[in-house]
mmCIF file of all heavy atoms in Angstrom:
data_model
loop_
_atom_site.group_PDB
_atom_site.id
_atom_site.type_symbol
_atom_site.label_atom_id
_atom_site.label_comp_id
_atom_site.label_asym_id
_atom_site.label_seq_id
_atom_site.Cartn_x
_atom_site.Cartn_y
_atom_site.Cartn_z
ATOM 1 N N GLY A 185 -3.628 -2.244 10.403
ATOM 2 C CA GLY A 185 -3.976 -1.008 9.686
ATOM 3 C C GLY A 185 -5.249 -1.181 8.877
ATOM 4 O O GLY A 185 -5.380 -0.654 7.773
ATOM 5 N N ASN A 187 -8.110 0.003 8.945
ATOM 6 C CA ASN A 187 -8.952 1.142 8.607
ATOM 7 C C ASN A 187 -8.288 2.048 7.578
ATOM 8 O O ASN A 187 -8.810 3.098 7.248
ATOM 9 C CB ASN A 187 -9.292 1.953 9.868
ATOM 10 C CG ASN A 187 -10.585 2.716 9.708
ATOM 11 O OD1 ASN A 187 -11.437 2.345 8.899
ATOM 12 N ND2 ASN A 187 -10.730 3.794 10.444
ATOM 13 N N GLY A 188 -7.144 1.634 7.068
ATOM 14 C CA GLY A 188 -6.424 2.431 6.075
ATOM 15 C C GLY A 188 -6.944 2.133 4.675
ATOM 16 O O GLY A 188 -7.785 1.259 4.465
ATOM 17 N N GLN A 189 -6.403 2.878 3.727
ATOM 18 C CA GLN A 189 -6.829 2.751 2.330
ATOM 19 C C GLN A 189 -6.694 1.310 1.823
ATOM 20 O O GLN A 189 -7.630 0.727 1.280
ATOM 21 C CB GLN A 189 -5.965 3.701 1.496
ATOM 22 C CG GLN A 189 -6.130 3.555 0.030
ATOM 23 C CD GLN A 189 -5.400 4.618 -0.772
ATOM 24 O OE1 GLN A 189 -5.993 5.205 -1.650
ATOM 25 N NE2 GLN A 189 -4.136 4.861 -0.499
ATOM 26 N N LEU A 190 -5.536 0.719 2.028
ATOM 27 C CA LEU A 190 -5.308 -0.645 1.559
ATOM 28 C C LEU A 190 -5.919 -1.675 2.516
ATOM 29 O O LEU A 190 -6.533 -2.660 2.069
ATOM 30 C CB LEU A 190 -3.799 -0.899 1.414
ATOM 31 C CG LEU A 190 -3.421 -2.311 0.983
ATOM 32 C CD1 LEU A 190 -3.959 -2.623 -0.420
ATOM 33 C CD2 LEU A 190 -1.908 -2.509 1.018
ATOM 34 N N GLY A 191 -5.740 -1.446 3.827
ATOM 35 C CA GLY A 191 -6.238 -2.417 4.815
ATOM 36 C C GLY A 191 -7.721 -2.696 4.663
ATOM 37 O O GLY A 191 -8.163 -3.843 4.786
ATOM 38 N N SER A 209 -7.992 -2.218 13.335
ATOM 39 C CA SER A 209 -7.599 -0.826 13.123
ATOM 40 C C SER A 209 -6.536 -0.435 14.150
ATOM 41 O O SER A 209 -6.235 -1.200 15.075
ATOM 42 C CB SER A 209 -8.812 0.084 13.299
ATOM 43 O OG SER A 209 -9.177 0.093 14.663
ATOM 44 N N ARG A 210 -6.020 0.767 14.000
ATOM 45 C CA ARG A 210 -5.031 1.247 14.967
ATOM 46 C C ARG A 210 -5.601 1.271 16.392
ATOM 47 O O ARG A 210 -4.900 0.969 17.351
ATOM 48 C CB ARG A 210 -4.615 2.656 14.558
ATOM 49 C CG ARG A 210 -3.589 3.268 15.438
ATOM 50 C CD ARG A 210 -3.523 4.756 15.126
ATOM 51 N NE ARG A 210 -2.362 5.337 15.689
ATOM 52 C CZ ARG A 210 -1.508 6.135 15.036
ATOM 53 N NH1 ARG A 210 -1.716 6.406 13.781
ATOM 54 N NH2 ARG A 210 -0.481 6.635 15.647
ATOM 55 N N GLN A 211 -6.904 1.633 16.511
ATOM 56 C CA GLN A 211 -7.530 1.671 17.835
ATOM 57 C C GLN A 211 -7.584 0.269 18.437
ATOM 58 O O GLN A 211 -7.492 0.089 19.652
ATOM 59 C CB GLN A 211 -8.962 2.231 17.749
ATOM 60 C CG GLN A 211 -9.038 3.749 17.534
ATOM 61 C CD GLN A 211 -8.503 4.171 16.166
ATOM 62 O OE1 GLN A 211 -8.722 3.473 15.170
ATOM 63 N NE2 GLN A 211 -7.781 5.284 16.122
ATOM 64 N N LEU A 213 -5.547 -2.383 17.494
ATOM 65 C CA LEU A 213 -4.190 -2.919 17.659
ATOM 66 C C LEU A 213 -3.180 -1.872 17.217
ATOM 67 O O LEU A 213 -3.013 -1.616 16.014
ATOM 68 C CB LEU A 213 -3.987 -4.204 16.838
ATOM 69 C CG LEU A 213 -2.568 -4.778 16.960
ATOM 70 C CD1 LEU A 213 -2.263 -5.193 18.392
ATOM 71 C CD2 LEU A 213 -2.378 -5.957 16.017
ATOM 72 N N ASP A 214 -2.511 -1.292 18.211
ATOM 73 C CA ASP A 214 -1.449 -0.327 17.924
ATOM 74 C C ASP A 214 -0.149 -1.128 17.807
ATOM 75 O O ASP A 214 0.320 -1.714 18.791
ATOM 76 C CB ASP A 214 -1.377 0.698 19.063
ATOM 77 C CG ASP A 214 -0.298 1.750 18.809
ATOM 78 O OD1 ASP A 214 0.611 1.525 17.979
ATOM 79 O OD2 ASP A 214 -0.365 2.802 19.465
ATOM 80 N N ILE A 215 0.424 -1.148 16.611
ATOM 81 C CA ILE A 215 1.585 -2.029 16.391
ATOM 82 C C ILE A 215 2.837 -1.551 17.116
ATOM 83 O O ILE A 215 3.825 -2.279 17.180
ATOM 84 C CB ILE A 215 1.888 -2.234 14.886
ATOM 85 C CG1 ILE A 215 2.221 -0.903 14.206
ATOM 86 C CG2 ILE A 215 0.747 -2.974 14.203
ATOM 87 C CD1 ILE A 215 2.919 -1.082 12.869
ATOM 88 N N THR A 216 2.809 -0.340 17.651
ATOM 89 C CA THR A 216 3.992 0.118 18.407
ATOM 90 C C THR A 216 4.006 -0.460 19.820
ATOM 91 O O THR A 216 4.994 -0.301 20.534
ATOM 92 C CB THR A 216 4.053 1.663 18.486
ATOM 93 O OG1 THR A 216 2.937 2.139 19.238
ATOM 94 C CG2 THR A 216 4.041 2.283 17.106
ATOM 95 N N HIS A 235 0.269 -7.104 6.751
ATOM 96 C CA HIS A 235 0.682 -5.975 7.594
ATOM 97 C C HIS A 235 0.637 -4.695 6.758
ATOM 98 O O HIS A 235 1.579 -4.374 6.040
ATOM 99 C CB HIS A 235 2.092 -6.274 8.113
ATOM 100 C CG HIS A 235 2.718 -5.172 8.880
ATOM 101 N ND1 HIS A 235 2.002 -4.249 9.608
ATOM 102 C CD2 HIS A 235 4.025 -4.838 9.047
ATOM 103 C CE1 HIS A 235 2.831 -3.396 10.172
ATOM 104 N NE2 HIS A 235 4.064 -3.723 9.842
ATOM 105 N N ALA A 236 -0.524 -4.009 6.854
ATOM 106 C CA ALA A 236 -0.740 -2.793 6.049
ATOM 107 C C ALA A 236 -0.680 -1.533 6.899
ATOM 108 O O ALA A 236 -0.855 -0.440 6.373
ATOM 109 C CB ALA A 236 -2.092 -2.881 5.330
ATOM 110 N N ALA A 237 -0.463 -1.684 8.202
ATOM 111 C CA ALA A 237 -0.363 -0.497 9.064
ATOM 112 C C ALA A 237 0.969 0.193 8.809
ATOM 113 O O ALA A 237 2.001 -0.463 8.687
ATOM 114 C CB ALA A 237 -0.454 -0.895 10.538
ATOM 115 N N ALA A 238 0.931 1.506 8.737
ATOM 116 C CA ALA A 238 2.181 2.241 8.547
ATOM 117 C C ALA A 238 1.978 3.702 8.887
ATOM 118 O O ALA A 238 0.857 4.218 8.851
ATOM 119 C CB ALA A 238 2.649 2.123 7.087
ATOM 120 N N TYR A 239 3.084 4.332 9.203
ATOM 121 C CA TYR A 239 3.120 5.790 9.287
ATOM 122 C C TYR A 239 3.338 6.259 7.853
ATOM 123 O O TYR A 239 4.406 6.019 7.273
ATOM 124 C CB TYR A 239 4.284 6.208 10.198
ATOM 125 C CG TYR A 239 4.465 7.701 10.329
ATOM 126 C CD1 TYR A 239 4.129 8.355 11.506
ATOM 127 C CD2 TYR A 239 4.967 8.452 9.271
ATOM 128 C CE1 TYR A 239 4.292 9.729 11.626
ATOM 129 C CE2 TYR A 239 5.133 9.825 9.379
ATOM 130 C CZ TYR A 239 4.792 10.451 10.564
ATOM 131 O OH TYR A 239 4.956 11.799 10.671
ATOM 132 N N THR A 240 2.325 6.892 7.251
ATOM 133 C CA THR A 240 2.387 7.170 5.813
ATOM 134 C C THR A 240 2.461 8.668 5.479
ATOM 135 O O THR A 240 2.358 9.028 4.302
ATOM 136 C CB THR A 240 1.166 6.563 5.085
ATOM 137 O OG1 THR A 240 -0.024 7.074 5.701
ATOM 138 C CG2 THR A 240 1.175 5.057 5.147
ATOM 139 N N THR A 255 6.810 3.343 14.195
ATOM 140 C CA THR A 255 5.765 2.527 13.560
ATOM 141 C C THR A 255 6.335 1.629 12.458
ATOM 142 O O THR A 255 6.138 0.415 12.457
ATOM 143 C CB THR A 255 4.677 3.452 12.961
ATOM 144 O OG1 THR A 255 4.137 4.249 14.016
ATOM 145 C CG2 THR A 255 3.567 2.639 12.314
ATOM 146 N N VAL A 277 3.847 -4.771 3.546
ATOM 147 C CA VAL A 277 3.695 -3.884 2.392
ATOM 148 C C VAL A 277 4.712 -2.754 2.497
ATOM 149 O O VAL A 277 4.751 -2.029 3.495
ATOM 150 C CB VAL A 277 2.262 -3.317 2.315
ATOM 151 C CG1 VAL A 277 2.104 -2.481 1.041
ATOM 152 C CG2 VAL A 277 1.238 -4.451 2.338
ATOM 153 N N SER A 278 5.555 -2.623 1.478
ATOM 154 C CA SER A 278 6.584 -1.596 1.469
ATOM 155 C C SER A 278 6.388 -0.677 0.257
ATOM 156 O O SER A 278 5.328 -0.686 -0.363
ATOM 157 C CB SER A 278 7.975 -2.237 1.495
ATOM 158 O OG SER A 278 8.967 -1.243 1.701
ATOM 159 N N THR A 279 7.408 0.074 -0.074
ATOM 160 C CA THR A 279 7.195 1.225 -0.961
ATOM 161 C C THR A 279 8.275 1.392 -2.036
ATOM 162 O O THR A 279 9.430 0.994 -1.843
ATOM 163 C CB THR A 279 7.150 2.506 -0.096
ATOM 164 O OG1 THR A 279 7.104 3.655 -0.939
ATOM 165 C CG2 THR A 279 8.384 2.633 0.794
ATOM 166 N N ASP A 280 7.880 2.042 -3.130
ATOM 167 C CA ASP A 280 8.831 2.433 -4.179
ATOM 168 C C ASP A 280 9.786 3.522 -3.675
ATOM 169 O O ASP A 280 10.825 3.751 -4.297
ATOM 170 C CB ASP A 280 8.077 2.949 -5.412
ATOM 171 C CG ASP A 280 7.136 4.109 -5.103
ATOM 172 O OD1 ASP A 280 6.616 4.172 -3.970
ATOM 173 O OD2 ASP A 280 6.917 4.958 -5.993
ATOM 174 N N TYR A 303 10.574 8.706 5.478
ATOM 175 C CA TYR A 303 9.558 7.671 5.279
ATOM 176 C C TYR A 303 10.162 6.455 4.570
ATOM 177 O O TYR A 303 10.013 5.314 5.030
ATOM 178 C CB TYR A 303 8.394 8.245 4.462
ATOM 179 C CG TYR A 303 7.436 7.226 3.919
ATOM 180 C CD1 TYR A 303 6.493 6.606 4.739
ATOM 181 C CD2 TYR A 303 7.463 6.861 2.568
ATOM 182 C CE1 TYR A 303 5.610 5.654 4.232
ATOM 183 C CE2 TYR A 303 6.587 5.924 2.055
ATOM 184 C CZ TYR A 303 5.657 5.317 2.880
ATOM 185 O OH TYR A 303 4.806 4.380 2.371
ATOM 186 N N LYS A 307 10.626 2.687 6.141
ATOM 187 C CA LYS A 307 9.997 1.501 5.539
ATOM 188 C C LYS A 307 11.058 0.457 5.190
ATOM 189 O O LYS A 307 10.833 -0.753 5.337
ATOM 190 C CB LYS A 307 9.206 1.892 4.281
ATOM 191 C CG LYS A 307 7.973 2.752 4.516
ATOM 192 C CD LYS A 307 6.852 2.014 5.222
ATOM 193 C CE LYS A 307 6.268 0.878 4.400
ATOM 194 N NZ LYS A 307 5.141 0.223 5.109
ATOM 195 N N THR A 326 5.065 -1.438 -3.329
ATOM 196 C CA THR A 326 4.076 -0.935 -4.268
ATOM 197 C C THR A 326 4.230 0.568 -4.423
ATOM 198 O O THR A 326 5.138 1.165 -3.815
ATOM 199 C CB THR A 326 2.655 -1.326 -3.810
ATOM 200 O OG1 THR A 326 1.725 -1.008 -4.839
ATOM 201 C CG2 THR A 326 2.260 -0.593 -2.525
ATOM 202 N N SER A 327 3.390 1.188 -5.249
ATOM 203 C CA SER A 327 3.549 2.625 -5.516
ATOM 204 C C SER A 327 2.213 3.273 -5.869
ATOM 205 O O SER A 327 1.309 2.613 -6.390
ATOM 206 C CB SER A 327 4.506 2.820 -6.693
ATOM 207 O OG SER A 327 3.953 2.261 -7.872
ATOM 208 N N TRP A 328 2.094 4.550 -5.576
ATOM 209 C CA TRP A 328 1.005 5.423 -6.051
ATOM 210 C C TRP A 328 -0.376 4.742 -5.923
ATOM 211 O O TRP A 328 -1.112 4.596 -6.893
ATOM 212 C CB TRP A 328 1.242 5.847 -7.496
ATOM 213 C CG TRP A 328 2.480 6.649 -7.744
ATOM 214 C CD1 TRP A 328 3.597 6.730 -6.964
ATOM 215 C CD2 TRP A 328 2.734 7.488 -8.878
ATOM 216 N NE1 TRP A 328 4.526 7.564 -7.532
ATOM 217 C CE2 TRP A 328 4.035 8.054 -8.715
ATOM 218 C CE3 TRP A 328 2.015 7.814 -10.027
ATOM 219 C CZ2 TRP A 328 4.599 8.920 -9.649
ATOM 220 C CZ3 TRP A 328 2.588 8.675 -10.962
ATOM 221 C CH2 TRP A 328 3.859 9.224 -10.771
ATOM 222 N N VAL A 329 -0.698 4.330 -4.700
ATOM 223 C CA VAL A 329 -1.915 3.534 -4.465
ATOM 224 C C VAL A 329 -3.154 4.445 -4.396
ATOM 225 O O VAL A 329 -3.112 5.507 -3.779
ATOM 226 C CB VAL A 329 -1.785 2.740 -3.150
ATOM 227 C CG1 VAL A 329 -3.053 1.928 -2.892
ATOM 228 C CG2 VAL A 329 -0.558 1.818 -3.194
HETATM 229 N N1 NAP B 676 -0.574 4.988 -0.473
HETATM 230 C C1 NAP B 676 0.471 4.784 -1.274
HETATM 231 O O1 NAP B 676 0.593 5.410 -2.334
HETATM 232 C C2 NAP B 676 1.520 3.772 -0.901
HETATM 233 C C3 NAP B 676 2.628 3.622 -1.768
HETATM 234 C C4 NAP B 676 3.602 2.681 -1.431
HETATM 235 C C5 NAP B 676 3.465 1.914 -0.288
HETATM 236 N N2 NAP B 676 2.393 2.093 0.529
HETATM 237 C C6 NAP B 676 2.297 1.254 1.730
HETATM 238 O O2 NAP B 676 1.057 0.579 1.679
HETATM 239 C C7 NAP B 676 0.606 0.317 3.002
HETATM 240 C C8 NAP B 676 -0.816 0.794 3.159
HETATM 241 O O3 NAP B 676 -0.850 2.202 2.956
HETATM 242 P P1 NAP B 676 -2.215 3.001 2.802
HETATM 243 O O4 NAP B 676 -2.163 3.713 1.510
HETATM 244 O O5 NAP B 676 -3.371 2.107 3.095
HETATM 245 O O6 NAP B 676 -2.008 4.078 3.967
HETATM 246 P P2 NAP B 676 -3.056 4.649 5.013
HETATM 247 O O7 NAP B 676 -4.368 4.857 4.355
HETATM 248 O O8 NAP B 676 -2.370 5.809 5.661
HETATM 249 O O9 NAP B 676 -3.219 3.460 6.052
HETATM 250 C C9 NAP B 676 -2.278 3.182 7.045
HETATM 251 C C10 NAP B 676 -3.042 2.735 8.252
HETATM 252 O O10 NAP B 676 -2.106 2.389 9.273
HETATM 253 C C11 NAP B 676 -2.622 2.860 10.482
HETATM 254 N N3 NAP B 676 -1.586 3.047 11.478
HETATM 255 C C12 NAP B 676 -0.699 4.063 11.607
HETATM 256 N N4 NAP B 676 0.056 3.885 12.694
HETATM 257 C C13 NAP B 676 -0.364 2.723 13.267
HETATM 258 C C14 NAP B 676 0.001 2.014 14.423
HETATM 259 N N5 NAP B 676 0.973 2.462 15.228
HETATM 260 N N6 NAP B 676 -0.641 0.866 14.718
HETATM 261 C C15 NAP B 676 -1.623 0.413 13.915
HETATM 262 N N7 NAP B 676 -2.043 1.038 12.814
HETATM 263 C C16 NAP B 676 -1.404 2.189 12.492
HETATM 264 C C17 NAP B 676 -3.285 4.173 10.145
HETATM 265 O O11 NAP B 676 -4.201 4.519 11.154
HETATM 266 P P3 NAP B 676 -4.562 6.075 11.432
HETATM 267 O O12 NAP B 676 -5.179 6.574 10.171
HETATM 268 O O13 NAP B 676 -5.471 6.012 12.598
HETATM 269 O O14 NAP B 676 -3.243 6.746 11.712
HETATM 270 C C18 NAP B 676 -3.961 3.829 8.827
HETATM 271 O O15 NAP B 676 -5.251 3.320 9.034
HETATM 272 C C19 NAP B 676 1.619 1.013 3.928
HETATM 273 O O16 NAP B 676 2.559 0.068 4.361
HETATM 274 C C20 NAP B 676 2.307 2.024 3.024
HETATM 275 O O17 NAP B 676 3.603 2.300 3.482
HETATM 276 C C21 NAP B 676 1.407 2.995 0.244
#
Side-chain angles (χ1 to χ4, degrees):
N187 205 24
Q189 172 173 229
L190 178 64
S209 70
R210 181 194 194 131
Q211 286 67 38
L213 179 63
D214 181 341
I215 61 163
T216 65
H235 174 29
Y239 178 108
T240 56
T255 301
V277 184
S278 189
T279 173
D280 56 330
Y303 167 76
K307 293 291 295 182
T326 189
S327 64
W328 298 21
V329 179

